[in-house]
Amino acid sequence: MAGALSYQLVTFISENHSDMIHSVLKRFIFEEKDYLDIQAGLIEEIHSVKLDGFRIKTIKVAESADDSVKLTVVVEADLEVKGLGGRDYETESAQQWFAVSLSGQLDDGFNNLTVLRVEEYYKSPFKREQALSPSLVPYFAKDDFDNIAEDFLREFCPEMLSAPMALPVTGVVERMGLRIRELDLSRNLVLFGMMVFGDTSVVYYNKERQCFDKTIIKGGTILVDPNVFFERNLGCWNNTVIHECVHWWKHRKHHEFFRMIDDEYSLVSCRVRETERIKDIWTDEDWMEWHANGIAPRILMPKATVLLKIDEYKSSLAMAFPQATTLETLEYVIINLAEFYHVSKQAAKIRLLDLGYREAEPLFNYIDDHYVGAYSYATGSLDENQTYNISMKDSMREYLSNCDFKELIDSGDFVYVDSHFVVNDKKYVERTSCSDLRLTDYAKLHIDECCIRFALETNKKWKPEGDKYLEDGLFRKAVSDFERVPVYCTDEHNQALTSVAKDSKHLVSMTLEFLEFNKKTADYNFAQTAYAHIERLGISQQRFYDTTLLDDRQFRKLKSGNPKSPSFDTAMAICIGLDLGLEYGVPLLEKAAMSLENKEKAPYKMLLACYRGRSIFECNEFLTEQGAKLLREKEYRSVLSLSP
């Protein structure tokens, strides 16, 4: 991508400004011929140097405070050199590299391109500061983000740096000369916001007509989906607006670059190009999203004042509750920071992590569309590249790709509770009145004692999922900005925990009850065994209907001991509805000549092994994510359609 864009910039300058470069280069060579370091073969005393031609080798771009940019055009010049040689007056050809520095105004393309200086070119180390890519995207490192955020505030809201205060978001937008307009950018809040750089036609979702439509939007408009506020919160709305402000502040020149190289750009401003889901190399759009994602929260919560507020909240809680734990203190700090700065709790937590408060890691984790409850672990049991949390989606990835993890799951020694894989023991896991599983209070305070630990590894193929680039606007995708994935490894912690789990499986274990049930049903068929489970668990007929989505006809078949084997869909619905787990579920499926030992059936095995105490509705949500066939799909969708 960068190479192609560099070629486009070189082509543009070559096609539009070669005469000017040739003229200034010719004059420079004529005036400075006595001082040039020209290697001219046999000529010992140079009398004249003539420029025959040149080729642009590369163009370096640098930032300016205003709308202008500085271009350093590096050229290889063909020279005709004349002078005295060893025996006679000689003419030689030579090549010499020069740097022509230009400055141009970016406003609907390049304007007022002027020459700053010409000099011989000598290669020098790359300096990131003020440098732009060939497509005019800044080079930023994560360590720069706090300073960049302070630069933004010094320009648009200096009072924010003097004392702790919430950023007046709409006021900052006005100071930047921008405007905000709310518009439904998608049907299901796929897009949070959009920065419109130039007058263009924008696609939006027309709720009244229930279809997509177009409308003309003026340049300098921040579009925000109104559902960001109603379905998320004010903090998310603020972050979206400032995110787009960063795009305008730091990426407007990139936009003008595209207008510069494409005369028809404004006529195709609504053309959408969707990037690949996973890529090895980041595009300019990826980098710009990373910039805005990292800088916007630091603008809303500048480092200097956030540190003051953290100390203030820690002190006030310590005075009121001297016995408060570190976890309780940080939870209090996060809640108050979010309220004070008008940001989300998740944003406040991430800010704490950025500032070195690694103890905040267990708080306000948002996994599988819900917040994970607070928990704690022994100091030193977890570093910044490890976690006890894992989503079901990542669990499935590990299950299919990691033999050690698959073996651990298939053992039935661990259950999946609140985004943790926990030792299957009553000391750590208990059932609620609704038969759901939850961590015990003891487990929440001793996560390191009972939960599998995962290493966080950089996903080299990570790409912000589904990001779209509209050529007259940059979209904000409603996805978490994570680029590391949890990976299971058989480290010392996990090996020790696995040994403990083998002796601690008490929720559904090889107890006398289990052995007696197997002995009693050894000669039973599928229906007889399933009904024996119903009696064992004391499940009423109505509860059977509710938990399995099966009907009265299916219940009668089980009660009568129907010898005919059921469909896989029916068999799995019974296993899930009765919460049989692997220990009871696999033997039951075997009586219907069914196996879960293939890749296609892996999601169902994962449900039996780990998704204990979950309803068939929750299980179908997981199957939907995996692209697997839903259980009792017709009945499932029928019930959903009746839900308010």
Side-chain angles (χ1 to χ4, degrees):
M1 182 71 174
L5 293 173
S6 178
Y7 172 78
Q8 289 175 324
L9 182 57
V10 168
T11 301
F12 176 84
I13 296 297
S14 297
E15 292 179 351
N16 295 276
H17 302 287
S18 283
D19 290 345
M20 179 181 66
I21 294 175
H22 187 278
S23 176
V24 298
L25 196 56
K26 180 180 178 180
R27 183 170 63 251
F28 176 80
I29 291 170
F30 175 78
E31 294 174 351
E32 302 292 326
K33 68 179 186 300
D34 294 334
Y35 306 101
L36 298 179
D37 184 21
I38 298 175
Q39 304 299 317
L42 299 176
I43 297 178
E44 298 176 356
E45 182 180 332
I46 296 176
H47 288 176
S48 68
V49 181
K50 176 184 176 184
L51 176 65
D52 280 343
F54 67 89
R55 292 166 298 283
I56 297 178
K57 304 300 289 185
T58 188
I59 298 178
K60 299 180 179 182
V61 191
E63 184 97 64
S64 294
D66 53 18
D67 287 335
S68 66
V69 293
K70 295 178 181 178
L71 305 177
T72 300
V73 183
V74 179
V75 304
E76 182 183 42
D78 295 322
L79 307 176
E80 181 186 88
V81 184
K82 294 182 179 181
L84 293 177
R87 293 178 297 179
D88 204 349
Y89 197 80
E90 304 283 355
T91 300
E92 292 276 355
S93 296
Q95 279 76 42
Q96 185 80 355
W97 285 45
F98 297 93
V100 181
S101 297
L102 309 172
S103 177
Q105 198 76 17
L106 271 172
D107 184 13
D108 194 19
F110 258 128
N111 294 305
N112 304 321
L113 195 64
T114 58
V115 178
L116 299 178
R117 64 182 178 276
V118 182
E119 57 192 354
E120 288 185 274
Y121 175 73
Y122 297 99
K123 190 173 182 179
S124 59
F126 173 76
K127 294 183 179 179
R128 189 175 69 242
E129 296 77 10
Q130 303 300 316
L132 299 175
S133 76
S135 53
L136 279 65
V137 176
Y139 292 105
F140 294 148
K142 186 175 180 180
D143 291 343
D144 299 329
F145 285 173
D146 277 312
N147 291 333
I148 295 169
E150 289 186 6
D151 289 342
F152 178 95
L153 292 171
R154 270 190 284 272
E155 185 172 353
F156 300 112
C157 190
E159 61 270 28
M160 186 82 173
L161 297 173
S162 301
M165 61 175 284
L167 184 73
V169 173
T170 55
V172 167
V173 171
E174 291 174 1
R175 293 178 192 181
M176 295 181 72
L178 306 176
R179 66 193 68 83
I180 301 172
R181 177 175 171 182
E182 293 192 336
L183 196 66
D184 291 285
L185 299 175
S186 58
R187 182 160 38 196
N188 299 311
L189 195 57
V190 175
L191 305 172
F192 280 11
M194 172 182 174
M195 183 70 246
V196 181
F197 290 98
D199 297 354
T200 189
S201 176
V202 171
V203 177
Y204 73 101
Y205 184 69
N206 189 320
K207 284 186 175 179
E208 293 183 1
R209 297 173 55 192
Q210 294 189 343
C211 65
F212 286 95
D213 211 336
K214 294 182 180 180
T215 186
I216 300 297
I217 302 293
K218 290 182 64 64
T221 300
I222 296 172
L223 296 179
V224 182
D225 194 308
N227 295 299
V228 168
F229 179 82
F230 294 112
E231 295 189 24
R232 299 283 173 155
N233 49 52
L234 173 62
C236 187
W237 190 91
N238 285 340
N239 189 73
T240 299
V241 172
I242 297 303
H243 177 106
E244 304 306 335
C245 286
V246 172
H247 280 317
W248 178 265
W249 184 51
K250 286 298 182 184
H251 303 141
R252 189 163 74 254
K253 292 174 182 177
H254 169 84
H255 168 79
E256 290 296 338
F257 168 79
F258 276 98
R259 300 188 70 175
M260 176 185 71
I261 63 175
D262 187 353
D263 292 337
E264 298 183 356
Y265 174 73
S266 60
L267 301 178
V268 292
S269 59
C270 280
R271 185 175 70 233
V272 175
R273 179 176 73 248
E274 185 164 354
T275 60
E276 297 176 20
R277 184 185 177 94
I278 295 178
K279 299 169 66 176
D280 291 326
I281 300 175
W282 281 18
T283 65
D284 286 321
E285 293 77 53
D286 300 335
W287 286 115
M288 290 187 289
E289 282 300 297
W290 183 67
H291 294 163
N293 284 335
I295 296 169
R298 289 165 169 81
I299 292 172
L300 291 162
M301 296 174 282
K303 181 177 179 178
T305 67
V306 166
L307 291 173
L308 292 175
K309 295 302 291 183
I310 291 173
D311 289 341
E312 176 188 325
Y313 293 136
K314 288 170 66 177
S315 298
S316 64
L317 186 65
M319 291 180 63
F321 300 97
Q323 304 303 317
T325 65
T326 299
L327 208 62
E328 290 169 336
T329 300
L330 291 179
E331 188 172 26
Y332 176 80
V333 169
I334 289 171
I335 291 171
N336 282 277
L337 282 179
E339 183 177 348
F340 181 83
Y341 285 105
H342 300 162
V343 299
S344 67
K345 294 183 184 69
Q346 184 72 9
K349 172 203 166 172
I350 293 173
R351 197 70 180 103
L352 277 181
L353 293 174
D354 287 335
L355 294 171
Y357 288 88
R358 302 307 308 176
E359 306 92 329
E361 180 64 42
L363 298 170
F364 301 106
N365 287 305
Y366 192 72
I367 299 176
D368 291 331
D369 296 327
H370 74 281
Y371 279 107
V372 177
Y375 58 88
S376 62
Y377 45 81
T379 303
S381 66
L382 198 71
D383 65 33
E384 62 181 12
N385 295 315
Q386 295 172 326
T387 182
Y388 292 112
N389 294 324
I390 188 170
S391 68
M392 278 298 288
K393 181 178 180 180
D394 285 329
S395 300
M396 195 70 233
R397 170 187 51 76
E398 278 295 280
Y399 185 82
L400 293 174
S401 63
N402 189 324
C403 295
D404 291 330
F405 186 68
K406 183 179 186 301
E407 182 180 348
L408 178 119
I409 297 304
D410 290 349
S411 71
D413 295 341
F414 293 84
V415 288
Y416 186 72
V417 183
D418 206 14
S419 302
H420 301 84
F421 278 97
V422 193
V423 173
N424 191 353
D425 189 294
K426 291 180 180 179
K427 182 179 181 181
Y428 308 119
V429 184
E430 62 187 6
R431 287 193 181 276
T432 68
S433 58
C434 299
S435 294
D436 295 335
L437 295 184
R438 68 183 178 190
L439 296 174
T440 63
D441 290 340
Y442 180 86
K444 292 175 184 176
L445 296 175
H446 302 85
I447 287 294
D448 54 301
E449 180 183 315
C450 58
C451 293
I452 290 295
R453 188 171 66 188
F454 297 90
L456 288 170
E457 295 186 359
T458 301
N459 183 359
K460 295 180 180 179
K461 292 187 176 182
W462 178 80
K463 168 70 173 65
E465 184 176 326
D467 278 358
K468 294 183 178 181
Y469 174 67
L470 180 63
E471 290 189 350
D472 215 287
L474 289 171
F475 283 84
R476 172 73 165 100
K477 184 72 176 66
V479 297
S480 298
D481 185 22
F482 298 118
E483 55 181 289
R484 298 192 299 172
V485 293
V487 175
Y488 174 78
C489 55
T490 54
D491 59 18
E492 185 177 346
H493 169 87
N494 289 338
Q495 286 179 342
L497 200 62
T498 301
S499 297
V500 171
K502 289 185 183 300
D503 300 324
S504 304
K505 191 170 54 175
H506 295 311
L507 273 180
V508 180
S509 59
M510 300 297 289
T511 60
L512 181 60
E513 177 191 6
F514 180 83
L515 295 173
E516 287 181 348
F517 182 85
N518 277 355
K519 183 178 179 180
K520 172 186 173 182
T521 60
D523 297 326
Y524 285 12
N525 62 24
F526 177 90
Q528 292 168 328
T529 305
Y531 193 73
H533 278 302
I534 292 174
E535 291 184 318
R536 175 180 66 85
L537 297 168
I539 294 178
S540 68
Q541 192 168 340
Q542 183 59 50
R543 180 160 177 77
F544 174 82
Y545 300 152
D546 294 340
T547 59
T548 65
L549 298 183
L550 296 170
D551 55 21
D552 182 64
R553 181 175 60 88
Q554 294 290 348
F555 185 84
R556 289 198 306 270
K557 282 185 178 182
L558 300 182
K559 189 173 182 179
S560 66
N562 191 313
K564 185 177 180 181
S565 294
S567 66
F568 178 78
D569 179 55
T570 297
M572 275 302 301
I574 292 172
C575 290
I576 295 297
L578 302 185
D579 193 22
L580 298 183
L582 280 179
E583 290 82 358
Y584 286 118
V586 169
L588 179 62
L589 292 172
E590 288 175 349
K591 294 195 174 190
M594 298 176 188
S595 171
L596 300 178
E597 298 304 319
N598 61 64
K599 188 174 182 179
E600 181 184 348
K601 294 296 192 296
Y604 304 98
K605 189 171 185 179
M606 177 69 83
L607 290 176
L608 285 183
C610 306
Y611 235 36
R612 303 298 307 278
R614 304 298 180 93
S615 71
I616 197 169
F617 296 94
E618 292 173 294
C619 291
N620 273 341
E621 289 176 7
F622 169 71
L623 293 174
T624 298
E625 289 183 354
Q626 302 304 318
K629 188 177 185 303
L630 304 185
L631 300 174
R632 310 301 299 169
E633 183 171 3
K634 180 179 178 182
E635 293 79 6
Y636 167 71
R637 297 195 183 283
S638 176
V639 173
L640 288 184
S641 67
L642 297 175
S643 301

